[in-house]
Each structure stands twice: as structure tokens, then as C-alpha cells.
Amino acid sequence: MQTTRKARAIGVLLLTAGVVATLTGCSGSTGGGSNADSGTYTFWDPYPQYDASSDWAKLIEQCGTQAGVTVKRTGYDTTDLTNKALLAGQQRNSPDILLVDNPVVSTLADAGILTDTTDNGLSTGTIAQNILGAGVLDGKTYGVPIGANTLALYYNPKVLQAAGVDPASIKNWASLDDALAKVKAAGKKGITFAGINTEEGSFQFLPWFWGAGADLTKLNSPQAIAALTLWTNWIKQGYAPNSVIQDTQTTSWQEFQTGEFAFGENGTWQKASAAQMGAQLITIQTENGGPAPVPTGGEFFTIPVQKDAARYKTSAKIVECLSSGDNIVKTDNTLNYVVATQSGQQAQLSTDSTMKTWVDAVGVAKARTGDNLGTKYPVISEQLWTAVQKAESGAASPTAALAAAQQAVDAKLNK
């Protein structure tokens, strides 16, 4: 049974990352720890942009010193990191610590690559449960978050003012539609978002999906249809450009930066860029009013299985230092993470009041792999973004597209 489970998890990971061809080219010699008295602990992260002079690299060195060891850190891009983590785990040659994108945690855990907090001694302490949820599978917790990022609606005050729209009036979908209509009538453009057929598309659609009351276990529900109808109507009515069908979060942001659009759905990582252009922020609203659940983004610190379990104690010390709210607040990693604890969030707000909307958004956020979806999530997400593409392009109605999506999910998960 365990072998079957591992094979299924590995298969899902390969399907999601699209990395079958590249796995054979990965070397197993880059793996991690050997025995507990080793003075060097290996750490892989998805931040290749940060070199040895960065605040992030300095924090890693500091945390290693406090734990009495040297940390050898390697940064990979996200896909490459996932590939190497999988291969190293199969070869039982994992690094001591892995920092991975949160949806990957449950897949690596299901494949038997990660230790849980009972084994490794990591403390989850006061971490907010909705953020921690991405690391939970079958009641066990397999890591701790570095923090969380998520989505909200940036708006251009000049465009709204010219259209006679008060951003405070946007309290539900109907009032957002009214605002978009006024913006279009004033000769400006409405809203940009990433509707591409990748995980970015699902990520951006989820606030509206969940904001309608839909559930990922039933993609063809009336609530899900309402959410997809909202998006497709925006394209039909000219509130959103046709380009959203292929827009990534980066390209949709570039459209917003032209100054022609009223709204742009995007994340905390655009905070500095938004400030430069004078953009401001509101939370995404549910269909009937109130902040919508948004998906939690960000990475998790995990401790892979080692031949010598005595290494976990030191690995846990390093992780607890790296994930400390104080350190995340002080370390400029340019990603503008929201700290994962309420006390840390308050400290963050005391130093940067512009994080208030983001803290509010994270407060009602949900893990994509939450509700114990685990390794089912990549299958569901792929069919969700496929349905979004069909409806956006007019190839199928929202009802038909989501019905086909649910049928495909059932077929794949019930094999």
C-alpha cells in the first residue's frame, strides 16, 4: 500500500511540474546530511536571485552559527528545486532542510520524503492554522511556513476618480461590476488578472471561486458556475481584455502598470511597484459582501528524511531561527511576506502600516491543499484552469466547462 501511495504521489508531482524529461539529468551527488556530528548542514531554497551578500544569505549564516554549525545553502528556481528534491528523496540523499512552495509539501510528504513535526521536533506554536494548513496531511504537519503572500485588488486612484468611483463603495460583485461599467464609460479599461492555463490561473481564480461559496471537491456546483460566469462576462462586456486568457501574473501586472486600468488582481510581491505608480489596495470581496477567502502563497520549511535521525534536532533549530517572525520582518527578501503568527503580524504592522490590507487578506486566506486535499489538489487545479480557459475563450459555456472538469477529476482520482 505504501509503495502504491508513493508511486501515485511521485506521478502527480511529475505531472504537475512537467519534469519527466529533466529528472534523469539530475545528479544525486548534491544531497545532504550524513551524520549528526557533521559540522555542515545542507539547505535548498527557491531563491537563486539572492547571492552571498544578500540579507537572506546573511540570515542563513547567522542561524547556522547560532545552531553551532555551518549551513551550505543552494538556491534553485522553483521547478528545478522540486525536481531535485524528488530525485534526492528517492535516492535517500536529501538535504537537511528544504524550503519549497507550499502546494508541494503534501506531495513530498505522501511520497515519504519528509519527516513530520512529531519526528523532527519542529514547533508549530502560534502559527495561524489557515497558513499552517498547507503543511498538514492526514492529521500530520510536515513543515512550517516562512510566511504567507496572497492576492488582493490593486486600484488606480486617478482612473477611479475620473470615472466617479469611490473604492470604498466596492463591497460585493455587483458594486464591482458597477464600478467597471463606469470606468469603461469614462473611456478607461477595467480590470486585469491572470487567466492563463497554469497554476497561476487557478491561483487567481480561487478568490472568486471561494468567494461564491464554491468547493474544490465539486467544480461543477452552481457557486462555481457563478464565479466563472463573472470572469467570462467581464471579457464579453469589455471590462477585461482578451489578453487575460494568456496573461501570467507578471504580464497582467505590466498591463496594469500602463495606467489605463482601474483594477489589477495581484499579490504582495507587487507592493513596491504599486507604490511607485501610486496604486492603492482593497481586499477582494465575496459575491454577497465581505472579504473573500484568498489562496495562501509562499514557501514552507521542511525537514527531509535522513539516514541519521539525530540530525533533525539541529535542523529544527536552524528552521526555527529562519522562520522567526522577527527575522522575517527584519530580512528584506523583497517578497513582502505576511508573518505567520498574529503577534508577528502586529509587529510587522508597527513597522509598515501599508501591510494592513495584506494582513487582513491573509487572515481569511485558505491553503490550496487544505481540507486534506493533499495530492488531489494538482489534479483538481489542472482541470479548474482548463475549464477557465475554455470559458474565457468561448469554447464552452461556464456550465459545460466545469461539468467536463469535474468529470475529468473523477476519472483521474477514481482510477
Side-chain angles (χ1 to χ4, degrees), residues 219-293:
L219 296 182
N220 59 342
S221 69
Q223 294 86 355
I225 293 168
L228 189 48
T229 299
L230 179 76
W231 265 26
T232 55
N233 281 348
W234 284 346
I235 298 172
K236 290 177 182 177
Q237 294 166 341
Y239 299 160
N242 288 328
S243 59
V244 298
I245 298 173
Q246 294 301 322
D247 270 343
T248 65
Q249 293 182 116
T250 297
T251 56
S252 70
W253 182 252
Q254 290 168 347
E255 288 176 335
F256 182 70
Q257 284 182 301
T258 64
E260 293 294 311
F261 284 88
F263 299 98
E265 179 183 353
N266 228 290
T268 49
W269 51 91
Q270 300 294 5
K271 180 173 175 287
S273 175
Q276 289 177 355
M277 64 177 287
Q280 297 183 31
L281 196 68
I282 56 174
T283 54
I284 297 172
Q285 296 292 297
T286 65
E287 181 176 14
N288 297 316

Side-chain angles (χ1 to χ4, degrees), residues 155-199:
Y155 67 88
N156 187 319
K158 293 180 180 177
V159 173
L160 291 191
Q161 185 176 12
V165 175
D166 179 358
S169 69
I170 301 170
K171 299 182 180 298
N172 51 34
W173 290 2
S175 53
L176 177 57
D177 273 347
D178 288 344
L180 292 172
K182 290 178 181 178
V183 168
K184 183 182 178 184
K188 292 292 186 179
K189 300 176 182 179
I191 187 168
T192 69
F193 53 86
I196 193 171
N197 57 336
T198 67
E199 178 59 25

Side-chain angles (χ1 to χ4, degrees), residues 353-376:
S353 61
T354 65
M355 292 294 291
K356 176 67 167 60
T357 301
W358 293 119
V359 169
D360 291 344
V362 165
V364 296
K366 294 176 63 173
R368 285 167 279 174
T369 56
D371 300 325
N372 211 41
L373 287 178
T375 56
K376 296 178 183 178

Side-chain angles (χ1 to χ4, degrees), residues 47-115:
Y47 306 146
Q49 66 271 37
Y50 300 129
D51 61 20
S53 67
S54 66
D55 288 344
W56 174 240
K58 291 175 183 176
L59 175 62
I60 293 168
E61 181 180 4
Q62 173 189 321
C63 288
T65 300
Q66 289 179 8
V69 298
T70 299
V71 178
K72 182 181 178 182
R73 173 243 174 183
T74 306
Y76 299 101
D77 68 63
T78 298
T79 299
D80 201 25
L81 175 62
T82 304
N83 303 349
K84 284 181 165 55
L86 176 61
L87 184 61
Q90 289 175 295
Q91 296 178 338
R92 293 292 183 238
N93 195 26
S94 295
D96 291 287
I97 302 166
L98 268 173
L99 182 62
V100 295
D101 195 20
N102 74 61
V104 175
V105 175
S106 58
T107 301
L108 294 178
D110 200 45
I113 291 171
L114 303 180
T115 59

